[in-house]
Amino acid sequence: MSGGLYRSANAGWGNDHRPDGATYISAEPLNQPALESTAPPPEQVAETSAATNSAVMAIGSLVSRGTGFLRTLALTAALGGALVGDAYTTAQILPGMVYEFLLGGILTSVLIPVLVRRRKADADGGQAYAQRLLTLAVLALGVAVLLALLGAPVLTALYGSDQSSGDYRELVTALSYLMLPMIFFTGLSALISAVLNTRGHFAAPMWAPILNNLVVIGTAGLYIAIFGAEIIDPDEMTTGRVLLIGGGTLLGVAIQSVGLLPALRKVGFRWKLRFDFRALGLAELGRLGGWMFCYVAVSQIGLIVLFNLLNRAGQENAAGPLIYNNVFLLLMMAHGIIAVSIITALMPRMSAAAADGRYTDLAADLSRGTRTVSAVLAPIAVCYAVLATPLATTLFQYGAFSAANAEATSLVLLVAAVALVPFAVSQLFTFAFYALPDTRTPALINIPVVALRIGVQIVLFAAFSASFAAAGMMIGNAVSYLAAAIASAWLLRPRVGRIGLGAIVRTLGRVLVAAAGAALVGLLVIWLLPGDDTPSRLEAIVQLVVGGAVIGGTYLGLAMLLRISEITEVVGMVRRRLGR
């Protein structure tokens, strides 16, 4: 995790690791056979197929991410952006932290590739191996839950602030007792999804998280119906309130896991307990997963510092963990729908090129991916920055989330917009290492990157008031993402050769011009519209709709004028589809 609640340490196979732990792997074909003698050259086919698969993946994940964001909005309306909401957010990160330590990065970087290999090599299609793995995982996750429950007060002390009140720490701990069992169900869900993915079944892992989101949305709605939507102090959180909101969150993850079980039988997998764990090759798994564990461990140190600082700010009635997390999830929605889809489409090609020793092809895909991610995400970053106030008002200002909370959110979102493109590019370069395959270098890069992030965040926290703390955390993220991208590119050069830095710089220059033009026009339009800096909800919606359309249209027009090929190709693809 890097800079936010849900930072994936995924590796290989085009995985998309969701906040709730579900993992899926793209089954989309990457190269379509030519049906006519007038087929375009292979390079054009490769680019078109990658763009097509990216669009398909984006549409497929939209429903899950959409309901996930509705879940965030419902919880925000129920709990508000003050101490109770911060306590819930802090308690929710604890099971995620333990899960990442145990399984998160290792699952996608080590276990999924091993399951794929055993699926092909074993006479039983890898069924016995998967049964052993699930048995061991169930036992390990169960022990982890018991240990985490025993250590809940310690975890609260780690992620909370020593300046927090006793009532606040008690609330975080009470919620943690209900949420820590999520470790078991999150891990189980991820492993079942991996087994299904390796057997060619992708529907259930994609839709099961929606069950989770719907349960939590219903829980938040019930909370509002029973207790109302108002800002309260931690000592006013009665046992009933804690049981409802914490228990409902746990129930959602449990239902998600149970919802995957019928799919196992459908693909012919039979769950049988096997305790001959030596056949798993644990020494090899440990060797392969060691560097990924290092990556996750270092990132967790950064997360501990982040939450301590955010909780300190929250104690001073400034933007704390909940507001920070809401903004971070907005960034992850854009990254997940756009960047993850592009990375997922490119990852198998880069892996195949690395396996065949075709490093020039890998570098070309990496260059193409960098240019495409930057060109497509830039207008979204502009919208986040220019429309930060109407976005925060329209999306979050409901129930217990006040106008002051929305104003604080807008400042964090304005700063966070700068981090979107560097984050996506750094992720792409990290996945290029995984394609080689190499988990050691990203883990080593992560050490100075996290150290830089922590340093920047602490300096900004000390230099400015608490009201700027969450925004300062985002600045630290942006600086570290940029540093990670530069370091990764520098270390990849000896491995894969030239990555087309000249083409990347030229495209980024044009993208920057188009983004700046769109931002200026957007600011002018917002200035002319009613609402100023404190719009009503109706005024905010008008600013959002009109401003978004103007920014998008201006960026598209300038991109076409500047001949940004990554945009013109997408426009051409859309025109061809509409013309069918």
Side-chain angles (χ1 to χ4, degrees):
M1 294 186 181
S2 178
L5 276 177
Y6 305 120
R7 160 71 156 75
S8 170
N10 297 340
W13 305 97
N15 302 308
D16 181 21
H17 184 73
R18 296 201 180 90
D20 43 47
T23 306
Y24 68 84
I25 308 170
S26 172
E28 297 296 329
L30 289 173
N31 293 293
Q32 300 295 338
L35 299 178
E36 300 176 319
S37 59
T38 57
E43 295 82 0
Q44 184 176 341
V45 172
E47 293 185 14
T48 302
S49 62
T52 301
N53 286 307
S54 298
V56 171
M57 291 294 296
I59 295 172
S61 65
L62 188 58
V63 175
S64 179
R65 295 182 186 278
T67 55
F69 193 69
L70 288 176
R71 159 192 174 134
T72 299
L73 299 185
L75 288 169
T76 298
L79 302 177
L83 292 178
V84 171
D86 289 344
Y88 175 88
T89 306
T90 302
Q92 193 180 32
I93 191 57
L94 301 183
M97 177 271 292
V98 178
Y99 165 78
E100 285 291 331
F101 262 123
L102 287 175
L103 198 59
I106 295 174
L107 172 70
T108 49
S109 65
V110 178
L111 297 185
I112 288 179
V114 169
L115 284 170
V116 171
R117 290 199 298 270
R118 299 303 290 259
R119 172 76 171 160
K120 294 180 179 179
D122 293 356
D124 64 348
Q127 178 142 286
Y129 186 89
Q131 289 170 342
R132 295 185 191 99
L133 186 61
L134 284 171
T135 302
L136 178 61
V138 166
L139 294 176
L141 291 169
V143 171
V145 168
L146 292 177
L147 293 177
L149 288 172
L150 292 174
V154 177
L155 293 175
T156 298
L158 276 176
Y159 284 82
S161 166
D162 56 6
Q163 296 181 2
S164 301
S165 66
D167 290 333
Y168 181 82
R169 291 195 298 271
E170 289 176 7
L171 176 58
V172 174
T173 303
L175 288 168
S176 298
Y177 285 131
L178 291 169
M179 294 187 186
L180 284 170
M182 290 166 58
I183 297 167
F184 179 86
F185 295 107
T186 298
L188 186 62
S189 174
L191 280 168
I192 294 174
S193 297
V195 172
L196 291 172
N197 290 169
T198 56
R199 282 159 172 75
H201 186 86
F202 303 90
M206 179 173 288
W207 288 98
I210 298 174
L211 296 176
N212 181 357
N213 294 332
L214 293 177
V215 170
V216 177
I217 291 171
T219 298
L222 186 60
Y223 181 97
I224 293 173
I226 296 175
F227 301 111
E230 58 182 356
I231 296 178
I232 61 174
D233 293 327
D235 61 350
E236 298 178 84
M237 281 291 287
T238 62
T239 301
R241 290 174 182 260
V242 171
L243 287 175
L244 176 57
I245 203 70
T249 304
L250 173 61
L251 179 63
V253 181
I255 289 178
Q256 174 182 320
S257 300
V258 173
L260 290 169
L261 295 178
L264 281 179
R265 183 170 295 274
K266 184 177 180 180
V267 299
F269 182 83
R270 297 296 179 267
W271 193 310
K272 178 181 178 182
L273 294 178
R274 291 180 177 267
F275 297 95
D276 49 336
F277 299 137
R278 288 186 177 181
L280 285 172
L282 295 177
E284 178 187 6
L285 292 178
R287 178 179 57 82
L288 293 173
W291 285 111
M292 183 54 65
F293 182 83
C294 173
Y295 185 105
V296 172
V298 170
S299 296
Q300 289 300 321
I301 295 174
L303 199 61
I304 290 172
V305 173
L306 172 76
F307 264 76
N308 266 275
L309 297 178
L310 289 173
N311 274 307
R312 288 171 185 266
Q315 294 297 313
E316 299 184 37
N317 296 320
L322 184 137
I323 288 176
Y324 173 92
N325 187 53
N326 284 354
V327 173
F328 195 84
L329 289 180
L330 269 178
L331 294 187
M332 290 304 97
M333 279 192 68
H335 170 75
I337 295 172
I338 304 298
V340 168
S341 301
I342 293 171
I343 294 171
T344 299
L346 289 176
M347 189 65 191
R349 289 223 312 270
M350 291 195 296
S351 299
D356 296 340
R358 295 181 286 108
Y359 297 117
T360 302
D361 292 342
L362 189 155
D365 280 334
L366 182 59
S367 176
R368 182 185 303 115
T370 301
R371 289 181 275 119
T372 303
V373 164
S374 302
V376 177
L377 284 180
I380 299 176
V382 171
C383 286
Y384 282 171
V386 175
L387 305 176
T389 297
L391 265 169
T393 302
T394 302
L395 293 179
F396 299 115
Q397 193 176 320
Y398 298 95
F401 200 83
S402 65
N405 295 151
E407 183 179 355
T409 301
S410 66
L411 174 61
V412 183
L413 182 56
L414 170 64
V415 176
V418 182
L420 179 57
V421 173
F423 175 75
V425 172
S426 69
Q427 284 287 281
L428 177 60
F429 278 101
T430 298
F431 273 74
F433 280 110
Y434 295 153
L436 286 172
D438 176 8
T439 58
R440 177 177 178 270
T441 303
L444 292 176
I445 292 174
N446 201 39
I447 295 173
V449 165
V450 171
L452 174 64
R453 177 185 308 131
I454 291 173
V456 172
Q457 290 174 338
I458 290 176
V459 168
L460 291 177
F461 183 85
F464 295 95
S465 65
S467 61
F468 190 73
M473 302 302 104
M474 287 295 182
I475 292 176
N477 291 346
V479 171
S480 67
Y481 298 152
L482 182 60
I486 294 172
S488 297
W490 182 59
L491 292 174
L492 273 170
R493 170 72 184 274
R495 305 281 295 274
V496 303
R498 295 180 179 274
I499 60 173
L501 183 60
I504 292 174
V505 171
R506 285 192 297 272
T507 297
L508 290 180
R510 294 172 183 172
V511 166
L512 184 59
V513 171
L520 289 174
V521 175
L523 286 170
L524 177 61
V525 169
I526 296 301
W527 181 71
L528 293 173
L529 289 172
D532 298 323
D533 295 330
T534 55
S536 65
R537 176 162 291 110
L538 179 59
E539 290 171 336
I541 293 173
V542 171
Q543 289 182 356
L544 191 58
V545 172
V546 176
V550 168
I551 290 171
T554 303
Y555 180 85
L556 182 60
L558 290 173
M560 300 294 287
L561 183 65
L562 294 169
R563 297 182 180 179
I564 301 176
S565 59
E566 291 71 24
I567 299 298
T568 58
E569 288 171 5
V570 173
V571 172
M573 182 186 69
V574 172
R575 286 176 175 173
R576 288 192 297 271
R577 288 182 174 274
L578 293 177
R580 289 181 180 178

